[in-house]
Amino acid sequence: MADIKESIFLKNLRGEPCDRTPIWIMRQAGRYLPEYMKVREEYTFNELCRTPQAACEVTLQPIRRFGFDAAIMFSDILTPLAPMGARFSFAQGGPKLESPIRSESDIDALSTYEAADGTHFVAEAIRLMKVGLGDKTPLIGFAGSPFTLATYLIEGGGSKDYRFLKTLLYSRPELLDRLMNKLTDQTLAYLRMQVEAGVDAVQLFDTWGGILHPADYAKVVLPCVKRIMDGLRDLGVPRIYFLKGSAPYLDLVTTLDVECLGMDWTMDMAQFLPQMKGYAVQGNLDPMALYGSQDQIRRRALEICETGSKARGHVFNLGHGITPQTPIPNVEALVETVQGYRRETP
Ligand code: CP3
């Protein structure tokens, strides 16, 4: 019987020698897949996230189709906010919150809850996914970072300039802190629950942590990320931190006790590897490269594999999520290229 701990994904995260590079793709379960769209005819996005059998099915879809080296549980970073009292709807144009969280009383009105109660359906989904995946493909659990969650709560959805969040930061920072602390407690409990339910690794998504001056990132964002990552250490699963736009903060990010750091496509991996010696790296092909020719995809993927082979460990990924119109044959070409690449004897 295969041992999941010996999968090349987990070996790379632990920095153990490996002869090939594992690949998974952020948002690999999603709208670029016709089989996902078929399931979406029956469920709204929120229903899908809250229905374990359906969430399990869409988690397995990209594994069946492409044979990725890891699965990511299907859910959304905003899902665990609903039991706090912040329910997002996902119509066209992204998530929308009916009444954004902007005042002291809004923040105090957000409730905290037992993860095993409020998000029991996530634990149930994880148990089904583990059965469906068997002992070959590891399962990644995830959460949004408190700061990225705070941007959605305060802005009420996506934003171009983060006006409301920054108004709070520059006028009542202690209130932003209060919100961040609440989200940090909840996120840590949520991730611990996922590990207890069976995920093999966890990723913290910090899509919008990169919109701040480094001094503000250090004061507002980093301590919360650190508290979550430190709070997971005793569980012994590898921890991945994906901060989009992390290049200006790399000195800060490399103080974190995590196994792996994600890189977006604006970072030249070769340039930054010397600063990342203690970490496995994950990334970093531009998701838009998948709209180009297969020649280019293969060439650029091999370059990344070659550079990544010099890191402590390398997990191939895109530099951000895959987008809905991506041609499927190009994803196939990418997976075949990365899985066909062999490292020189490690
Ligand atoms: O990676 C996976 O396949 C697992 C599932 C997953 C989803 N969202 C499914 C999803 C994960 C890990 C996420 C993370 C997420 N969600 C992030 C962080 C990573 C990133 O991409 O920046 C953020 C910021 C969100 C918030 C969110 N959810 C937005 C902005 C949107 C709308 C934009 C979009 O891509 O549709 C969502 C909706 C969403 N989350 C969809 C999926 C498959 C599409 C919903 C649909 O089916 O209509």
Side-chain angles (χ1 to χ4, degrees):
M1 201 172 89
D3 181 355
I4 203 93
K5 291 225 156 44
E6 294 306 310
S7 64
I8 60 164
F9 171 69
L10 293 173
K11 276 176 110 165
N12 271 275
L13 291 180
R14 294 194 301 261
E16 292 169 16
C18 240
D19 70 343
R20 78 168 182 87
T21 302
I23 176 171
W24 71 279
I25 287 184
M26 289 188 272
R27 295 278 183 104
Q28 66 189 20
R31 289 170 302 177
Y32 71 110
L33 288 179
E35 57 269 39
Y36 172 82
M37 295 313 290
K38 194 128 202 343
V39 177
R40 279 282 276 107
E41 285 169 14
E42 280 172 61
Y43 299 89
T44 67
F45 179 64
N46 273 329
E47 284 166 356
L48 185 47
C49 291
R50 300 174 68 90
T51 309
Q53 287 81 359
C56 175
E57 165 58 22
V58 295
T59 295
L60 297 178
Q61 284 174 348
I63 308 304
R64 287 191 206 117
R65 187 188 267 270
F66 302 112
F68 286 121
D69 295 297
I72 181 159
M73 70 171 202
F74 189 84
S75 183
D76 195 75
I77 60 164
L78 305 175
T79 305
L81 297 179
M84 297 183 86
R87 277 194 84 88
F88 283 84
S89 61
F90 292 84
Q92 304 95 357
K96 277 272 164 301
L97 184 62
E98 209 161 280
S99 42
I101 308 298
R102 291 178 189 160
S103 69
E104 186 163 2
S105 57
D106 293 340
I107 293 170
D108 290 342
L110 284 175
S111 36
T112 50
Y113 62 90
E114 285 295 326
D117 296 335
T119 44
H120 61 91
F121 50 89
V122 174
E124 285 158 31
I126 289 169
R127 287 190 279 270
L128 293 179
M129 290 165 192
K130 284 297 292 173
V131 173
L133 289 165
D135 52 15
K136 237 184 80 206
T137 312
L139 179 64
I140 306 166
F142 72 89
S145 94
F147 185 76
T148 291
L149 296 177
T151 66
Y152 286 101
L153 285 171
I154 296 170
E155 302 296 329
S159 172
K160 282 206 171 72
D161 54 11
Y162 303 92
R163 177 157 69 93
F164 295 104
L165 180 133
K166 290 196 173 182
T167 302
L168 208 56
L169 170 69
Y170 295 128
S171 59
R172 304 211 45 201
E174 75 289 354
L175 270 191
L176 182 59
D177 250 22
R178 193 183 315 182
L179 175 61
M180 290 288 290
N181 276 319
K182 217 169 194 178
L183 292 169
T184 300
D185 292 339
Q186 200 62 63
T187 303
L188 175 56
Y190 180 52
L191 285 171
R192 288 190 68 92
M193 181 205 74
Q194 292 179 29
V195 176
E196 277 151 19
V199 301
D200 301 293
V202 292
Q203 174 158 324
L204 195 67
F205 283 89
D206 210 347
T207 311
W208 305 123
I211 61 168
L212 296 175
H213 185 280
D216 288 314
Y217 174 84
K219 215 159 76 201
V220 179
V221 182
L222 189 67
C224 295
V225 174
K226 181 172 161 37
R227 187 145 77 77
I228 291 169
M229 294 306 195
D230 290 353
L232 293 169
R233 187 166 220 291
D234 65 300
L235 297 176
V237 298
R239 299 154 295 171
I240 307 168
Y241 179 48
F242 171 70
L243 170 62
K244 184 159 167 271
S246 59
Y249 313 86
L250 208 58
D251 285 351
L252 296 163
V253 167
T254 51
T255 62
L256 285 169
D257 174 13
V258 296
E259 283 64 35
C260 180
L261 294 172
M263 285 177 154
D264 71 36
W265 69 94
T266 65
M267 290 174 88
D268 176 352
M269 198 183 268
Q271 179 192 340
F272 288 101
L273 277 190
Q275 264 183 280
M276 301 172 83
K277 284 204 162 57
Y279 300 91
V281 297
Q282 180 173 276
N284 71 342
L285 183 69
D286 184 351
M288 292 300 145
L290 290 175
Y291 291 87
S293 70
Q294 291 193 2
D295 247 23
Q296 282 277 335
I297 293 168
R298 288 180 198 279
R299 193 170 61 73
R300 286 171 186 260
L302 286 175
E303 271 170 23
I304 292 170
C305 288
E306 199 58 41
T307 309
S309 72
K310 299 178 182 77
R312 181 181 149 81
H314 177 217
V315 173
F316 196 100
N317 207 316
L318 301 180
H320 196 199
I322 190 168
T323 62
Q325 289 80 29
T326 303
I328 286 180
N330 290 358
V331 181
E332 285 165 358
L334 175 68
V335 175
E336 188 189 294
T337 304
V338 174
Q339 291 185 337
Y341 169 80
R342 286 292 173 278
R343 293 176 184 167
E344 282 171 36
T345 322

